[in-house]
Amino acid sequence: MLDRLGELKNEALAKVNDASTVKDLKDVRVSYLGKKGPITEVLRGMGQLSEEERPKVGQKANEVREEITTKLEEKEQHLEAVALEEKLQAESIDVTLPGRPVPRGNRHPLSSVIETVEDVFSGMGFSVAEGPEVETDYYNFEALNLPKEHPARDMQDTFFLTKELLLRTQTSPVQVRTMQNNEAKEPIKIVCPGKVYRRDEDDATHSHQFMQIEGLVVDRNIRMSDLKGVLETFVKSYFGPDRNIRLRPSFFPFTEPSAEVDISCAMCGGDGCRTCKHTGWIEVLGAGIVHPNVLEMGGYDPNEFSGFAFGMGVERLAMLKYGIDDIRHFYTNDVRFLNQFDRA
Amino acid sequence: MLVSYEWLKQYVDIEDLSAEEVAEKLTRSGVEVDFIHDMNKGVTGVVVGHILTCEQHPDADKLSLCTVDIGEEETVQIVCGANNVAEGQYVPVAKVGAVLPGNFKIKKSKLRGETSHGMICSLKELGFEAKVTPKEFADGIYVFPSVIEPGSDAIEYMRLYDKVMELDLTPNRADCLSMLGVAYEMAAILGRDVNLIDESVVRGEEQASDYVSVNVKDDATDACPYYGATMIQNVKIAPSPTWLQTYLMASGVRPVNNVVDVTNFVLIEYGQPLHAFDFNRFGSNEVLVRKAGEGETIVTLDGETRTLSTDHLVITNGQQPVALAGVMGGADSEVQDDTTSILLEAAYFDAPTVRRASRDLGIRSDSSVRFEKGVDPKRVPAAADRAARLIAELAGGTVLQGPVAYDELNVEPKPLDISLQAINRSLGTDLDEDTVEAIFKNLQFAFKGDENGWTVYIPTRRQDIMIEADIIEEVARLYGYDQIPTTLPDVSSTTGGLSVAQSVKRAAKQYLETVGVAEAVTYSLTSPAVDDTFDTVAKGENEARAQVAMPMSEDRSTLRTTVLPHLLEAVRYNRNRQLHNVALYEMSSVFTGESASPSKQPTETRSLAGVFTGLWHENSWQREKKPVDFFVVKGIFEGMIQEMGLTERVTYTAGRHKGMHPGRTATVYLDGENIGYIGQVHPQVEKEWGLKQVYAFECNLSLLIDAASNSEPVRYIPIPRYPAIQRDVALVVDENTTALELKEAIYARSSNLLKDVSLFDVYEGENLAEGKKSLAFSLVYRDPEKTLTDDEVKQEHEQIIAGLETDLGATLRTE
Ligand SMILES: [Zn+2]
């Protein structure tokens, strides 16, 4: 009987091996392991065996059963995997087709520049101050050391609404307002972004409306060297760590001493190229030590306090940063222009 | 200001520096050189020629045949087409092999059968601009005013090797509107001397005061604290020598004649405007400076009749005005070819008076530009002497004893106190006394020092230096801004960063962009008609559009009260370029004033506007297309309101707004206050603007941000422990009943078991009675304390439905 079991095992395993469908396997299972199958039959015939043989045959019969069962299961799993694979293959899609588009918009480049500048200065402890776009003559000019009839008023062509009201030509009025509003005369560290207006005909480099961002620091011991340090920190942070600054003497009515601030040209690394008009430097900022008259008009005693101020054109920063050649692009809102600024 | 490098060399030793190096040093010290012009525009091989004979060309009426001595062994024949060519002239000749500007090479050529060995040149052909060439040579060849050795290098003689620096001066540096001023600047930079100019005059026996008197009327003494009249007799008007003509042309000034040229030369040299009157045409023996009468007229040098007012200052002959003080002379007393007697005016006119006349009459002259910015009082009589000396030298006159002058001018240097500590404290430097004193010396500022610091005597040429900070700047710029150390402020600590309102604004922007709307920026100035398209979302009493007093154009005449029109313009701009899918928003101020020209600042309200047109969503290969509609825009808006934490406080009802579709527009309320609108642009407006199906919103962002800044912070609510039960209901109501009304009625009839109501279907048409519609809602019930039973829900649900029938006549929809 042991031999018979051996034969049955070999037969069954051969059939398992040959099975190519789950149904084939089921047939093998029924025909060999079923209630009417040959192994069951062998076990039924065990009554005729001796006491010694019986456990041996029983054990062998169980071994054979188990082995066939194991092989059956293995084969079944294999066949299922193959069947699943075939089914999934049939479901395949073209993954190179474009994904479902999700609508997205983006920040205007001028806003991006302003926010980046705000963030750099925020990190240095500056707050953001804002003020009205329609200003009084007093805040736009007089409080900034530009009395009526001052020759430097010719520098700016102004949109007047009335004799006393005008569209601000600079964001500097916010500086004076901030100083005046600070009743405790505490130290000040602000940046002031915003729209400004000048009577210019619009062309590639002029716009009757544009944006500025200015900064003001007032405290008891502010020096010109501090201005250099803060601007250098800003330039390296905004334009990159390998950029340098250069200060040239200049004139603004509300600062003395005053400076134009150049940054080293990124295009040529300072060797001179077309972008920098072969000087190696690009003018980006105006700055200086706050004029004592301005401190005084802001309610700060110039004998006790000193400060520095700086200002820059947002369009200029954006044009330098993105290589834009015409200032009018910022205001026509062509979606082919706006959509380009779609990443940080 | 154009500064000739060769001319500048006369006053300061810059022999060791090129024009480019001089320009760089000036720029770095604050006198910016914008551009360096090369006087030689590419000229080689031009010499002085002496025309020995000049005859008519046998075969051409307009050509002449000249025999010219060009300093070579043999004379050459040159064919010349100029009208003014004549025998005996000394002229610039481009020899065969010469090159003229534009790489024009001169070759031996034949003109109507006659050989020409070169070309006699006009100033234009030598590269001079037409606006600076003397009028008599405008259409012809240039003729040297004196005898010159034939064959001499004309390039050398006409100083074509010169370079001219164009200064871009800041308004404070009026001192550099003169060669001397630039020389002082250069001397200060280099630590060198300024060469003194010979102002000595040999005067005749006669007294100028025997010929003329000078008076300034009492009301004009502030405007004219100095007036000097120098008399020069027996002058002979002629062209100036070449050296003078070429200096003037290099400086952008057209040579006229020896007397006028000298006044212009000294104007550039000293920065002091002068005026030469023909004394025989002056009309009297009296100079009277006074305010003009109201409506008084004068014909100025340019032939224009000018009508004056009492704000203007005039020079008169006691009766008529003969010059507009500091701006322009009169035509009647102009120097002419037959002039023999000169009254040379050197005066100090105060800046505001000249600026006012210049502005009122629209005249800007080399003279007015300098007076407006303030001339050096000390140089006024010196410039007169310098000019008198040159006129006598060039025009051969006799300078009379004088001048006759009215003189109330203060020429004392102004003392200013400064200490070393003040300088170092302001700059963050550690300069010592010697360094600072060396800078004062280089600037040629006199000073005296003691233990407290210095008293510096500011020369009158530097009117811009008025306070301590101005001296600090002088020290800083000559020490070198580069040498100032770099430090960070030792500031009392500030936290900085954005305010809550600023953060809310940024979050709203970020939200809108994330859901597909791009930020736009448009102009604040508009036209009243365009602005009138939509309602303003500004609040308060002010409602008028503020107007610009003197607009550049109608399009930029008015401050906008609404942002939408310019966004609509952006849509049109894109549509005209076949860009049909546009979604833009803008956050900008709108302005409402008490009147068109308000007495107070207009109210500035931050407005948020959006425009949407075309497809909102498109996935072409999946054949999905979703055009923008009202609900797309409202959904975006609602999302932003949620971002701001204001969902519970913002409501919408049907509303009518200017420029918007009357049946497809919602008024937006914040805490019950109207703050704006969402809807479709009125089809009539769409048609006028050439647009189709544009949806838009505009709202008062200031109010939203204020509300958001104060909104409740997020608090965690425990997740419900018991399950919810959902029941759907389709209700048939009158077609005028809104979803909002129905929803509110459902809540009104519910107990606290009802947790949520959401609309899921709207139906009108077949199977429904005329004038009816069906709205289907999902109602969600939950008891926070226990699991609800079906019976409890059923009871609640039926109670609500029954209530709706009573309240709104709603019935259950049955198929
Ligand atoms: Zn470069």
Side-chain angles (χ1 to χ4, degrees):
Chain A
M1 281 176 100
L2 288 173
D3 293 347
R4 173 72 183 138
L5 282 170
E7 276 167 30
L8 282 172
K9 184 181 98 179
N10 291 340
E11 256 178 61
L13 292 184
K15 284 195 176 164
V16 168
N17 205 34
D18 291 346
S20 58
T21 64
V22 177
K23 183 170 179 308
D24 294 346
L25 289 177
K26 209 171 172 184
D27 292 345
V28 176
R29 184 186 294 268
V30 171
S31 55
Y32 286 89
L33 303 178
K35 281 180 188 157
K36 291 173 184 166
I39 296 174
T40 315
E41 219 163 277
V42 170
L43 289 171
R44 269 190 207 130
M46 265 196 335
Q48 303 159 14
L49 295 178
S50 67
E51 288 285 323
E52 293 98 63
E53 271 181 320
R54 215 178 283 166
K56 281 183 196 163
V57 172
Q59 195 189 346
K60 175 76 177 173
N62 280 333
E63 278 172 18
V64 168
R65 249 186 126 87
E66 260 170 43
E67 193 168 350
I68 293 171
T69 306
T70 307
K71 290 290 177 200
L72 268 170
E73 279 169 5
E74 278 176 17
K75 181 74 183 189
E76 194 173 356
Q77 275 171 14
H78 172 72
L79 285 178
E80 275 171 4
V82 168
L84 182 63
E85 177 63 21
E86 270 171 21
K87 180 168 176 274
L88 296 186
Q89 274 302 329
E91 290 173 5
S92 51
I93 53 169
D94 179 357
V95 296
T96 67
L97 283 167
R100 174 187 288 262
V102 175
R104 56 176 295 189
N106 37 261
R107 198 72 42 104
H108 192 283
L110 295 178
S111 290
S112 299
V113 168
I114 286 175
E115 289 175 14
T116 309
V117 175
E118 285 174 353
D119 292 347
V120 170
F121 283 103
S122 284
M124 291 192 261
F126 285 67
S127 326
V128 178
E130 290 160 294
E133 293 170 35
V134 177
E135 265 296 358
T136 59
D137 187 274
Y138 171 80
Y139 280 107
N140 195 71
F141 290 126
E142 283 177 55
L144 292 163
N145 202 29
L146 272 160
K148 293 206 161 90
E149 300 295 327
H150 191 287
R153 279 199 179 195
D154 297 346
M155 285 165 86
Q156 299 154 348
D157 244 351
T158 310
F159 284 111
F160 279 94
L161 303 185
T162 65
K163 227 167 144 42
E164 290 305 320
L165 292 178
L166 48 86
L167 298 187
R168 65 179 177 191
T169 58
Q170 46 197 355
T171 45
S172 323
V174 182
Q175 299 185 10
V176 183
R177 287 180 178 274
T178 306
M179 284 193 273
Q180 287 185 353
N181 291 341
N182 193 327
E183 296 195 353
K185 300 305 163 198
E186 294 153 328
I188 289 175
K189 268 175 115 178
I190 50 165
V191 285
C192 329
K195 291 179 184 140
V196 299
Y197 304 84
R198 297 205 187 152
R199 290 178 76 95
D200 271 324
E201 292 289 346
D202 296 341
D203 62 25
T205 52
H206 296 85
S207 180
H208 74 278
Q209 173 182 323
F210 56 103
M211 298 205 198
Q212 275 189 342
I213 187 158
E214 296 198 330
L216 172 71
V217 173
V218 177
D219 204 345
R220 286 187 170 73
N221 196 19
I222 296 296
R223 305 155 297 177
M224 186 124 173
S225 55
D226 300 327
L227 169 63
K228 281 183 80 174
V230 165
L231 291 182
E232 192 172 279
T233 308
F234 164 69
V235 163
K236 286 184 185 296
S237 163
Y238 184 86
F239 290 102
D242 49 345
R243 307 297 286 278
N244 295 311
I245 63 166
R246 173 179 93 164
L247 273 64
R248 280 182 292 115
S250 188
F251 171 78
F252 305 107
F254 31 88
T255 52
E256 187 79 14
S258 303
E260 294 280 2
V261 183
D262 301 336
I263 57 167
S264 55
C265 178
M267 292 292 178
C268 60
D271 295 337
C273 68
R274 260 183 52 198
T275 305
C276 58
K277 292 187 199 151
H278 305 281
T279 61
W281 296 94
I282 293 174
E283 191 179 313
V284 288
L285 275 144
I289 296 295
V290 181
H291 196 287
N293 291 357
V294 176
L295 283 176
E296 213 157 314
M297 274 188 270
Y300 283 76
D301 179 358
N303 295 313
E304 188 185 348
F305 288 92
S306 57
F308 65 74
F310 56 86
M312 50 202 145
V314 176
E315 281 80 356
R316 177 144 178 82
L317 291 183
M319 288 166 99
L320 285 173
K321 183 168 180 172
Y322 301 113
I324 297 164
D325 57 356
D326 190 325
I327 196 168
R328 288 168 294 196
H329 283 310
F330 294 115
Y331 295 97
T332 40
N333 300 295
D334 188 316
V335 295
R336 295 165 300 184
F337 174 80
L338 296 177
N339 291 346
Q340 291 182 37
F341 307 94
D342 59 352
R343 53 191 184 272
Chain B
M1 173 79 186
L2 293 169
V3 176
S4 152
Y5 167 75
E6 292 298 325
W7 191 357
L8 184 62
K9 269 189 186 169
Q10 310 295 313
Y11 313 105
V12 60
D13 176 15
I14 46 172
E15 208 60 59
D16 53 337
L17 298 171
S18 68
E20 287 74 15
E21 287 165 330
V22 169
E24 172 69 9
K25 287 193 186 296
L26 285 171
T27 299
R28 296 303 303 281
S29 81
V31 176
E32 189 175 345
V33 176
D34 215 26
F35 198 80
I36 300 175
H37 301 271
D38 211 326
M39 286 305 289
N40 191 334
K41 312 282 186 219
V43 178
T44 58
V46 179
V47 298
V48 176
H50 183 204
I51 302 178
L52 302 176
T53 66
C54 179
E55 277 154 25
Q56 169 90 51
H57 187 294
D59 292 323
D61 286 353
K62 292 190 174 160
L63 296 179
S64 305
L65 285 187
C66 304
T67 317
V68 185
D69 176 0
I70 55 167
E72 290 174 0
E73 243 159 68
E74 288 181 19
T75 59
V76 293
Q77 171 171 288
I78 297 176
V79 181
C80 181
N83 283 330
N84 65 333
V85 65
E87 192 176 301
Q89 288 172 335
Y90 290 85
V91 291
V93 174
K95 295 199 291 185
V96 171
V99 181
L100 296 182
N103 200 25
F104 174 44
K105 296 195 178 79
I106 303 300
K107 295 180 196 131
K108 192 168 92 174
S109 61
K110 268 206 165 146
L111 286 150
R112 293 282 179 106
E114 291 291 343
T115 310
S116 186
H117 296 268
M119 186 173 113
I120 303 173
C121 302
S122 69
L123 287 170
K124 191 178 164 213
E125 283 155 346
L126 292 172
F128 288 91
E129 286 182 65
K131 65 174 189 213
V132 300
T133 52
K135 283 192 173 138
E136 67 260 41
F137 304 132
D139 300 319
I141 54 167
Y142 178 63
V143 182
F144 289 109
S146 53
V147 175
I148 309 161
E149 178 67 30
S152 314
D153 185 350
I155 293 167
E156 192 82 11
Y157 200 77
M158 301 181 80
R159 234 183 288 105
L160 281 183
Y161 53 86
D162 197 1
K163 301 217 170 155
V164 178
M165 297 174 279
E166 188 169 344
L167 304 188
D168 181 11
L169 290 173
T170 52
N172 60 325
R173 293 308 302 271
D175 59 304
C176 287
L177 284 170
S178 66
M179 297 302 294
L180 268 180
V182 178
Y184 272 105
E185 181 67 22
M186 217 42 230
I189 295 167
L190 299 171
R192 294 178 186 172
D193 291 331
V194 173
N195 303 334
L196 291 178
I197 297 169
D198 193 348
E199 293 155 356
S200 64
V201 190
V202 179
R203 294 181 192 265
E205 301 283 299
E206 288 185 284
Q207 295 287 333
S209 55
D210 291 342
Y211 289 86
V212 69
S213 65
V214 169
N215 291 297
V216 177
K217 256 198 158 173
D218 287 350
D219 65 352
T221 52
D222 286 345
C224 178
Y226 181 93
Y227 193 98
T230 299
M231 292 293 300
I232 310 164
Q233 290 182 331
N234 301 320
V235 298
K236 190 169 181 310
I237 301 299
S240 298
T242 305
W243 68 263
L244 178 51
Q245 291 187 342
T246 47
Y247 272 151
L248 291 181
M249 287 193 288
S251 307
V253 174
R254 185 199 300 278
V256 179
N257 59 45
N258 45 13
V259 170
V260 173
D261 290 354
V262 165
T263 61
N264 284 329
F265 179 82
V266 175
L267 165 93
I268 296 166
E269 190 178 38
Y270 281 66
Q272 170 62 42
L274 301 169
H275 185 68
F277 295 100
D278 180 336
F279 191 57
N280 294 332
R281 293 187 169 94
F282 194 75
S284 80
N285 295 325
E286 179 194 5
V287 173
L288 177 66
V289 183
R290 61 165 167 82
K291 297 276 181 182
E294 195 68 41
E296 193 168 13
T297 59
I298 179 176
V299 179
T300 42
L301 278 175
D302 52 9
E304 299 275 326
T305 303
R306 313 282 182 172
T307 306
L308 311 177
S309 81
T310 51
D311 289 329
H312 306 141
L313 189 70
V314 286
I315 317 304
T316 71
N317 58 12
Q319 305 292 322
Q320 273 86 40
V322 290
L324 192 52
V327 180
M328 198 176 268
D332 291 347
S333 52
E334 186 184 1
V335 171
Q336 297 180 18
D337 288 350
D338 62 354
T339 297
T340 56
S341 185
I342 300 286
L343 187 162
L344 180 69
E345 164 197 296
Y348 186 99
F349 301 118
D350 88 326
T353 305
V354 174
R355 188 174 321 125
R356 165 145 237 159
S358 167
R359 198 177 55 199
D360 291 354
L361 302 170
I363 312 173
R364 269 176 72 85
S365 60
D366 285 334
S367 166
S368 72
V369 164
R370 284 170 175 84
F371 279 123
E372 273 180 31
K373 302 210 157 122
V375 298
D376 178 0
K378 215 175 163 182
R379 280 191 202 148
V380 184
D385 287 354
R386 169 70 168 160
R389 179 191 166 87
L390 286 172
I391 289 172
E393 192 180 307
L394 302 179
T398 306
V399 184
L400 304 196
Q401 293 290 331
V404 186
Y406 168 84
D407 184 0
E408 290 298 325
L409 194 57
N410 178 13
V411 294
E412 289 305 309
K414 178 171 157 177
L416 273 177
D417 292 335
I418 184 88
S419 70
L420 185 64
Q421 294 85 317
I423 293 171
N424 282 327
R425 198 176 56 223
S426 177
L427 299 178
T429 47
D430 195 18
L431 305 181
D432 59 22
E433 288 182 6
D434 291 346
T435 309
V436 174
E437 289 189 358
I439 289 170
F440 292 157
K441 281 179 193 147
N442 289 344
L443 284 163
Q444 304 197 27
F445 290 0
F447 62 92
K448 64 171 199 253
D450 59 29
E451 65 278 11
N452 295 322
W454 298 279
T455 301
V456 183
Y457 298 91
I458 308 301
T460 50
R461 65 188 154 83
R462 292 300 304 276
Q463 306 256 328
D464 58 310
I465 299 176
M466 293 179 285
I467 59 169
E468 185 185 276
D470 297 326
I471 299 185
I472 293 173
E473 180 175 66
E474 289 301 296
V475 172
R477 68 186 190 87
L478 287 165
Y479 177 66
Y481 278 14
D482 282 349
Q483 298 210 61
I484 294 171
T486 299
T487 58
L488 283 174
D490 178 19
V491 180
S492 338
S493 76
T494 48
T495 47
L498 298 180
S499 67
V500 174
Q502 286 159 352
S503 304
V504 169
K505 192 178 115 188
R506 276 207 199 178
K509 286 182 158 197
Q510 189 65 54
Y511 162 80
L512 288 167
E513 289 152 17
T514 306
V515 300
V517 197
E519 188 188 15
V521 181
T522 61
Y523 295 133
S524 303
L525 287 172
T526 186
S527 76
V530 166
D531 194 60
D532 202 30
T533 313
F534 299 102
D535 284 341
T536 185
V537 294
K539 295 280 145 192
E541 288 166 14
N542 291 338
E543 284 179 343
R545 288 185 196 98
Q547 304 274 338
V548 171
M550 290 188 311
M552 296 167 78
S553 69
E554 176 75 6
D555 287 352
R556 311 252 186 277
S557 63
T558 305
L559 278 165
R560 61 179 167 182
T561 65
T562 159
V563 173
L564 266 187
H566 282 177
L567 286 182
L568 221 51
E569 257 171 25
V571 171
R572 180 165 60 186
Y573 175 96
N574 283 293
R575 208 185 140 82
N576 289 345
R577 283 154 187 80
Q578 309 307 315
L579 302 160
H580 295 290
N581 306 329
V582 181
L584 299 172
Y585 80 89
E586 177 170 0
M587 289 181 182
S588 281
S589 290
V590 294
F591 307 81
T592 41
E594 52 183 18
S595 70
S597 56
S599 63
K600 297 192 301 282
Q601 281 163 280
T603 308
E604 290 186 28
T605 305
R606 189 83 66 167
S607 165
L608 165 64
V611 286
F612 302 80
T613 191
L615 294 176
W616 176 241
H617 171 72
E618 181 177 22
N619 190 356
S620 35
W621 69 269
Q622 291 188 320
R623 291 182 193 81
E624 293 172 352
K625 272 189 184 179
K626 169 67 188 154
V628 170
D629 63 18
F630 176 86
F631 299 101
V632 165
V633 178
K634 190 181 176 197
I636 288 169
F637 190 85
E638 286 170 326
M640 185 191 71
I641 293 300
Q642 188 175 358
E643 178 80 32
M644 291 178 162
L646 299 173
T647 302
E648 305 299 323
R649 295 165 64 182
V650 171
T651 51
Y652 311 84
T653 62
R656 293 182 80 98
H657 293 270
K658 188 163 62 188
M660 300 299 286
H661 191 304
R664 293 187 180 175
T665 299
T667 306
V668 181
Y669 298 88
L670 171 67
D671 297 332
E673 185 183 9
N674 174 346
I675 59 154
Y677 48 90
I678 304 174
Q680 184 182 344
V681 173
H682 198 294
Q684 193 61 39
V685 174
E686 290 177 341
K687 200 174 147 198
E688 281 160 20
W689 289 66
L691 303 172
K692 265 184 206 150
Q693 294 280 324
V694 181
Y695 290 85
F697 64 77
E698 180 152 2
C699 64
N700 186 317
L701 185 65
S702 300
L703 292 175
L704 282 174
I705 287 180
D706 282 351
S709 308
N710 306 319
S711 71
E712 290 290 313
V714 172
R715 295 282 300 174
Y716 161 73
I717 300 163
I719 293 163
R721 283 198 285 179
Y722 301 98
I725 292 178
Q726 183 182 319
R727 289 283 180 275
D728 293 348
V729 60
L731 296 162
V732 177
V733 289
D734 199 77
E735 67 182 355
N736 294 325
T737 308
T738 66
L740 180 66
E741 283 169 329
L742 209 44
K743 188 171 171 178
E744 282 174 347
I746 292 171
Y747 274 113
R749 284 286 175 177
S750 69
S751 73
N752 59 359
L753 295 180
L754 182 68
K755 293 303 175 197
D756 190 42
V757 177
S758 57
L759 179 82
F760 69 86
D761 187 45
V762 179
Y763 180 81
E764 274 174 285
E766 241 181 284
N767 301 329
L768 281 184
E770 185 85 354
K772 294 283 180 186
K773 67 177 175 186
S774 157
L775 298 175
F777 293 89
S778 286
L779 281 62
V780 176
Y781 300 96
R782 188 191 301 112
D783 187 331
E785 306 301 331
K786 62 180 194 325
T787 303
L788 279 176
T789 64
D790 278 351
D791 279 351
E792 286 169 313
V793 172
K794 192 174 175 216
Q795 196 191 345
E796 170 86 7
H797 196 66
E798 281 173 357
Q799 176 199 317
I800 289 172
I801 291 165
L804 292 175
E805 179 153 23
T806 317
D807 299 343
L808 295 170
T811 55
L812 276 180
R813 183 174 170 198
T814 48
E815 290 310 315

